[in-house]
Amino acid sequence: MSIEQKLSTLNEMQRKGVLKTEGPLLLLAGAGSGKTRVLTHRIAYLIEKGVSPWNILAITFTNKAAREMKERVAAITPEGSQVWVSTFHSTCVRILRREIDKIGRSSQFTIYDADDSERLIKDILKENNISEKMYPPKFIISTISSNKDKMIGPDEYFSLVEKDFRMRKVAEIYEIYQKRLEENNALDFDDLIFVTVKLFKERPDILDKYQERFRYIMVDEYQDTNGSQYELVRLLADKYKNICVVGDDDQSIYGWRGADIRNILNFKQDYENAVVYKLEQNYRSTQYILDAANAVIKNNRHDELKSLWTNTENGNKITVYRAVDDRSEAEYICSEIDRETMAGKEYKDFAILYRNNALSRVLEERLIKSGIPYRLFGGTRFYDRREIRDIMSYLKSIYNPRDDIALRRIINVPKRGIGDTTVGRIGEYALDKGISFYDALCRCESIDTISAAAVKKLRLFIDMMEELKEAAEEYPVSHFIEKVIEDTGYRQELELENTDISKGRLENIEELVNKAVEFENGDSENKSLAAFLEEVALVADVDAFTEGDDTVVLMTLHSAKGLEFDTVFIAGFEENIFPSYMSLTSGDPDALEEERRLCYVGITRAKRKLYLTSAVSRLQHGNFVSNEVSRFAKEIPSELVEMKQQGINTYKEERPSSPKFKNPSNNHKRPMNTYKMPAPTDYTPDFEVGDKVRHIKFGIGTVTDINPAGADYEVSVDFDNVGAKKLMAKLARLKRL
C-alpha cells in the first residue's frame, strides 16, 4: 500500500497534521484521537517526500512509546528504522557520549539513579556534620531536581535563597553535590538534559551540528515537558523551525513533578506563524462518556477548547453511585464486576482508579473476599508497601520478640545509627549462643566486638521497645499504632522529608490506622493486638489474583494516563479526595484546574461504561468523616447521568431539618450533594450545637454544626487541642459532657 493509500485511512484533521511538514505545528490531540498514528504517518510521509531518515528526530516520554513508534514507522516504510526515535533522556545520553568531552568531561561517565544520588547526599551530610533530620536527603534531592528542571545551577540557586538560612545550606549542599558528581565522573538523571542544554549553550558549533542533523523534530506529550526539556527542544529547533509538537493541554497532570503547561499553551507565542490543528474525533469511547469529559473540562480556562466526538453510539449513561460508607462502596464495585463477568465480560475489562494509593486498601480487601482476581499497576499491594511493612514489623516484634525477620527490619528504621556491622555481630552472637536475635540484643554489653557507642544506641532502642510492649497491653490497637509511629520517630522523619513520596507514605500509614479502627468497631469480641495481626495476616497472605492477564486492574489516576479499559470505576469521587484537600485549600486556581484535568483523564480511560462512586462516611486519618460528592460529578449534565444510592435508584435533594439542632447561620441547609439522603435511623445524638463533647482521641471540644448524614449525623467539633474536625457522631462515639 502506498503512502497516499495509507493517508486515505486518516480523517481530515489527521491528514492535515501529516501533510503540514514545514514550519512549526501544534497538534492538539484529544484523548483517544489517534495521535501516534498521525506521528508515524507523518514520518513516513517526510521520507516519501525525500527527507533523509537521518534528519528526523522523534522524542517520546517512555521507552515503551519509543519502541511502539519505531515498530509502526518501520511497518509503513522500510527506511523508518533509521529514524532517531527515543526518549528525552536517551537522546541526551547519545549526544553526551559523543560530545561531553568538549566541555571537559569524560565520555565514560556513569549515570546515577535515585538511590545512588541519595547515598552521595548522605555522604556529603556526614562529611560536613550536617543533620539528616534538619536536612532530609530526599528533600535535598527533590530541591536539586526541581532546580535542574528549571535550568538553575548551584550559583544561581544560592543567589535566589541567600536570605533564607536553611535553603542557603541546601544551596551549599547542591554545589558540593555537583562537584562530587564531577569527581566521580557521574551524571544523575536530571543532569542528562541539564548538561546537554549547557553543552549547546557553551558550544554553539556543537548546537549547529545537531540543528543540521535534526531538521525535522517531533515531540510527543508536549504538555508534560518541564523547563529543561522545553529549552532542549527550543535550541534544536531554532534554526529550521520544522517542529511538530503533539499534546493535550487537557491532559497536563504532572505539574507536581515539574511539567509546565505553559509550554504547550504558549506554543503560538514561541513560534511565529505556528499552525494549530485539533484532533477531536475519538476512536475509544462512547459519546456519553465523551460528553461527560467535555462538560467537566470546559470549566477550566481555555485558549483552545476542544470538543471530543465519535462516530459510535451514545452508549451507557454514567453511573454516579453514593454508598453509605467506603466498605459498601467497595462492595458495590465488586458486585457490578461480578454481574458483568457473569454476563460474559472478562476481569481484564475492568479498572478501578483512585486519586491516591491509600484508597486501595479497602478495595483490595473486598476484592479478595469476593474472589475477584486483581493486580496493582505501578505499585505494590497495600500491605507490601515499605512503610506498611515497617509499621507491621514493629507490631510483630512487640507481640513476638523472637520474630528475628521483623526485628532486623526495623532495628535501624528510622535511622538511629545502628549499622549493618553491628547488626551482623549481634546475629553472630545469637547464633553462637543459640538464642534469639532480641535476646542477644538485650545482652549487647556482653558482645565485646561492639563498641560502647553502639551499645548506647542499642540500649536506647531496647528501652523504647520495652516501653512499647507495656503500652500494647493498655492501648486500643489504633491508638497503639499511632504511638508506635510517634515514639519511634517514623512520622517525624517522613514529615521532615516533605516530598510527594513521603506524603504518600504518611497517607498509607493513616490508612493502616483506619484499618485498625475498623477492626475495633468490628463484630469480633477479641480486640487484642494478636487478633489484629492475625486478621491482617489473613488478608495480606490470601492472594486471590492469578499471574495471568485476566485480572481487574487497580491504579491511581496518574498511572492510568495513556491506557484504556472497557469499564472504569473512579472510587472516592468526593470533595477533599478528588479534588484533593491540598488543591482546595492551597488558594491556587491552577491546582484545582490540574485536578479537573486529572478527572478528564480518568473519564476518558473508559470505552463503554463509567462509574463514579463515593461514600457518605469514610475513614480518613483514623476518623469517620463525611465528604460531599465531588464537584466534578455536578459538572456533568443530568441527562448523561444515572444516579444511584444504596437501596435507592434516583433521588433528589431533600435535607431533613430538626428544631433540636440550633445553628442560625445556615439553618442546616448546606447542600451536601444533588442526592436525597436517606432519613436517619432511630439513632439521635444526645448533644446540640454549643454543647461540650469528649472524643476518645481528640479530647474535649465544642459542637459547632450538626447535619443528618445517612444513618448517622455529621458533626463539626472545635477541639481544644487539635482544632476543628468533622466526624460521624455515632461512629466516633462522641459523649456529651
Side-chain angles (χ1 to χ4, degrees):
M1 183 183 294
S2 68
I3 186 65
E4 287 78 13
Q5 291 173 311
K6 288 183 172 66
L7 290 177
S8 67
T9 65
L10 304 178
N11 65 45
E12 180 184 359
M13 297 309 293
Q14 288 175 329
R15 282 195 299 274
K16 284 185 175 182
V18 170
L19 298 175
K20 167 66 178 169
T21 60
E22 307 302 310
L25 170 65
L26 167 60
L27 293 176
L28 282 174
S33 62
K35 64 182 178 63
T36 304
R37 185 176 176 83
V38 174
L39 285 175
T40 53
H41 280 71
R42 194 170 189 274
I43 292 171
Y45 182 69
L46 283 168
I47 295 172
E48 184 84 4
K49 278 186 60 180
V51 174
S52 169
W54 177 261
N55 294 131
I56 302 173
L57 171 65
I59 302 177
T60 67
F61 266 83
T62 67
N63 290 317
K64 179 177 178 291
R67 285 194 300 271
E68 179 184 353
M69 190 176 295
K70 283 181 182 178
E71 292 169 359
R72 292 174 68 168
V73 171
I76 297 175
T77 175
E79 296 177 88
S81 60
Q82 302 173 36
V83 176
W84 191 330
V85 183
S86 66
T87 65
F88 274 100
H89 293 95
S90 296
T91 297
C92 290
V93 169
R94 291 175 70 177
I95 293 172
L96 290 174
R97 290 292 184 201
R98 299 172 183 179
E99 313 292 352
I100 197 171
D101 61 306
K102 311 299 192 305
I103 54 173
R105 303 284 295 271
S106 170
S107 61
Q108 303 301 311
F109 61 84
T110 57
I111 301 170
Y112 276 9
D113 61 17
D115 288 339
D116 296 325
S117 295
E118 184 173 354
R119 282 197 294 270
L120 180 54
I121 290 291
K122 288 181 177 180
D123 288 344
I124 292 169
L125 295 178
K126 185 176 180 180
E127 292 164 4
N128 291 274
N129 297 314
I130 300 172
S131 168
E132 286 191 21
K133 289 185 177 180
M134 289 295 295
Y135 297 92
K138 284 186 170 58
F139 166 72
I140 295 171
I141 291 169
S142 175
T143 303
I144 291 173
S145 177
S146 177
N147 277 287
K148 289 183 179 180
D149 286 349
K150 300 170 186 173
M151 293 304 303
I152 297 174
D155 292 342
E156 184 181 355
Y157 182 59
F158 190 89
S159 66
L160 292 173
V161 298
E162 60 181 338
K163 295 182 179 180
D164 185 324
F165 174 80
R166 184 166 187 259
M167 299 316 291
R168 279 207 317 270
K169 181 63 69 175
V170 174
E172 292 171 8
I173 296 168
Y174 182 10
E175 182 179 24
I176 298 169
Y177 173 75
Q178 287 303 106
K179 288 180 179 177
R180 289 290 294 276
L181 282 173
E182 288 197 38
E183 290 171 2
N184 296 349
N185 192 25
L187 300 176
D188 67 18
F189 209 61
D190 297 304
D191 273 334
L192 298 178
I193 301 174
F194 182 81
V195 174
T196 303
V197 172
K198 182 172 178 284
L199 167 72
F200 286 158
K201 289 185 174 181
E202 291 183 7
R203 292 293 302 269
D205 57 321
I206 297 174
L207 172 60
D208 184 71
K209 171 182 173 181
Y210 285 93
Q211 289 175 335
E212 286 294 328
R213 167 75 188 270
F214 302 128
R215 298 189 179 199
Y216 294 86
I217 299 171
M218 280 162 273
V219 184
D220 196 10
E221 303 288 3
Y222 193 65
Q223 78 281 347
D224 292 336
T225 53
N226 60 31
S228 61
Q229 291 162 340
Y230 166 85
E231 188 66 8
L232 176 72
V233 172
R234 187 192 68 79
L235 288 169
L236 286 172
D238 192 51
K239 188 170 187 177
Y240 289 100
K241 304 290 194 302
N242 294 327
I243 177 170
C244 169
V245 301
V246 184
D248 184 359
D249 53 321
D250 292 332
Q251 295 189 71
S252 179
I253 59 173
Y254 296 117
W256 51 275
R257 70 180 190 196
D260 191 342
I261 192 174
R262 293 174 299 179
N263 294 346
I264 192 168
L265 296 179
N266 295 339
F267 185 82
K268 288 191 294 183
Q269 285 74 46
D270 292 338
Y271 295 93
E272 189 178 355
N273 301 319
V275 173
V276 179
Y277 293 139
K278 299 179 185 179
L279 306 183
E280 298 173 296
Q281 184 174 355
N282 179 279
Y283 295 91
R284 175 189 300 156
S285 307
T286 63
Q287 192 61 54
Y288 277 159
I289 291 172
L290 298 180
D291 287 346
N294 290 334
V296 169
I297 203 63
K298 76 177 183 181
N299 290 281
N300 276 1
R301 297 163 293 179
H302 279 87
D303 292 328
E304 298 281 356
L305 183 63
K306 300 182 300 302
S307 182
L308 297 177
W309 60 275
T310 181
N311 282 329
T312 63
E313 73 284 352
N314 284 335
N316 301 289
K317 289 189 175 184
I318 288 84
T319 298
V320 177
Y321 183 80
R322 185 76 160 159
V324 170
D325 55 35
D326 48 357
R327 298 178 71 181
S328 299
E329 176 190 30
E331 288 171 4
Y332 171 75
I333 291 172
C334 289
S335 69
E336 288 296 288
I337 293 172
D338 278 335
R339 182 178 62 80
E340 293 248 22
T341 52
M342 289 179 66
K345 289 290 180 183
E346 296 182 279
Y347 288 118
K348 65 184 178 183
D349 293 328
F350 300 91
I352 306 174
L353 311 181
Y354 34 78
R355 178 61 181 84
N356 60 66
N357 278 312
L359 294 176
S360 72
R361 194 264 302 172
V362 173
L363 294 165
E364 285 188 70
E365 291 184 355
R366 186 69 252 173
L367 287 163
I368 289 172
K369 290 177 181 177
S370 301
I372 296 175
Y374 75 94
R375 60 191 171 99
L376 281 168
F377 181 91
T380 56
R381 286 164 45 86
F382 179 81
Y383 293 108
D384 286 339
R385 290 168 185 152
R386 189 183 82 183
E387 58 276 13
I388 302 304
R389 292 180 69 88
D390 288 343
I391 302 305
M392 292 302 299
S393 292
Y394 269 109
L395 301 186
K396 288 188 283 186
S397 296
I398 290 161
Y399 172 68
N400 177 20
R402 296 181 65 181
D403 187 340
D404 291 356
I405 299 299
L407 188 59
R408 283 174 179 264
R409 180 182 181 91
I410 50 85
I411 191 172
N412 199 40
V413 175
K415 299 292 185 183
R416 49 178 64 94
I418 302 174
D420 292 341
T421 300
T422 299
V423 171
R425 288 170 179 168
I426 296 170
E428 290 170 1
Y429 183 86
L431 186 62
D432 182 60
K433 299 296 183 181
I435 58 178
S436 72
F437 186 88
Y438 190 79
D439 288 338
L441 185 62
C442 292
R443 301 183 196 176
C444 58
E445 291 90 345
S446 302
I447 306 175
D448 55 15
T449 55
I450 296 180
S451 68
V455 167
K456 183 178 180 181
K457 294 172 184 174
L458 292 171
R459 184 51 61 189
L460 288 172
F461 175 73
I462 294 165
D463 292 344
M464 179 190 72
M465 294 295 284
E466 291 297 322
E467 289 176 7
L468 288 172
K469 281 184 192 178
E470 294 179 7
E473 301 295 325
E474 303 172 2
Y475 285 69
V477 175
S478 62
H479 293 190
F480 180 62
I481 292 174
E482 291 185 332
K483 183 173 178 60
V484 169
I485 297 165
E486 295 294 338
D487 289 5
T488 62
Y490 204 97
R491 183 191 300 279
Q492 182 185 23
E493 183 176 72
L494 291 177
E495 287 176 343
L496 282 171
E497 282 183 19
N498 194 32
T499 64
D500 290 318
I501 293 174
S502 66
K503 290 173 185 175
R505 287 180 175 147
L506 282 169
E507 289 175 354
N508 289 334
I509 291 171
E510 288 164 355
E511 189 63 13
L512 182 63
V513 175
N514 290 345
K515 168 63 184 175
V517 172
E518 278 188 1
F519 164 78
E520 292 161 359
N521 292 330
D523 297 329
S524 174
E525 293 183 5
N526 188 348
K527 308 295 185 184
S528 67
L529 176 60
F532 176 74
L533 290 170
E534 180 179 318
E535 180 169 313
V536 169
L538 289 174
V539 171
D541 292 341
V542 178
D543 195 345
F545 73 92
T546 65
E547 294 296 323
D549 292 330
D550 190 23
T551 59
V552 175
V553 174
L554 278 73
M555 66 179 73
T556 65
L557 286 147
H558 283 98
S559 297
K561 187 171 177 291
L563 303 176
E564 58 184 46
F565 303 92
D566 179 87
T567 302
V568 168
F569 298 87
I570 304 182
F573 210 70
E574 304 162 22
E575 294 287 288
N576 299 317
I577 296 177
F578 192 31
S580 69
Y581 176 79
M582 290 298 293
S583 69
L584 295 176
T585 58
S586 67
D588 181 3
D590 291 339
L592 180 58
E593 291 206 348
E594 180 154 323
E595 291 286 299
R596 187 174 281 110
R597 293 194 294 270
L598 186 59
C599 181
Y600 171 87
V601 167
I603 290 172
T604 54
R605 297 314 93 194
K607 295 195 289 187
R608 184 190 64 88
K609 179 63 180 171
L610 174 67
Y611 295 82
L612 309 175
T613 67
S614 63
V616 173
S617 170
R618 183 181 299 276
L619 265 173
Q620 284 185 294
H621 315 297
N623 297 283
F624 289 95
V625 298
S626 182
N627 297 312
E628 297 183 15
V629 175
S630 171
R631 67 190 63 199
F632 302 146
K634 301 171 187 177
E635 292 172 356
I636 301 174
S638 58
E639 61 269 20
L640 304 177
V641 172
E642 179 185 21
M643 298 179 180
K644 293 184 177 181
Q645 180 167 333
Q646 248 175 311
I648 304 173
N649 285 336
T650 306
Y651 44 92
K652 297 179 181 178
E653 167 76 4
E654 284 184 16
R655 275 298 208 168
S657 60
S658 170
K660 179 179 176 64
F661 304 131
K662 296 173 286 187
N663 186 348
S665 63
N666 62 16
N667 199 28
H668 299 289
K669 293 182 180 179
R670 177 177 58 85
M672 188 166 108
N673 50 57
T674 57
Y675 312 129
K676 174 183 176 182
M677 304 306 301
T681 63
D682 55 359
Y683 167 75
T684 302
D686 64 349
F687 47 78
E688 302 178 3
V689 172
D691 284 347
K692 290 283 188 180
V693 294
R694 184 190 300 277
H695 184 268
I696 189 172
K697 175 182 176 183
F698 299 126
I700 297 173
T702 303
V703 178
T704 59
D705 196 11
I706 303 175
N707 287 294
D712 204 338
Y713 288 83
E714 176 191 294
V715 183
S716 297
V717 182
D718 188 4
F719 289 101
D720 297 343
N721 295 325
V722 297
K725 298 281 184 182
K726 284 186 179 180
L727 308 168
M728 301 304 291
K730 181 179 179 182
L731 295 172
R733 293 175 286 185
L734 294 170
K735 299 297 183 184
R736 181 168 64 89
L737 299 180

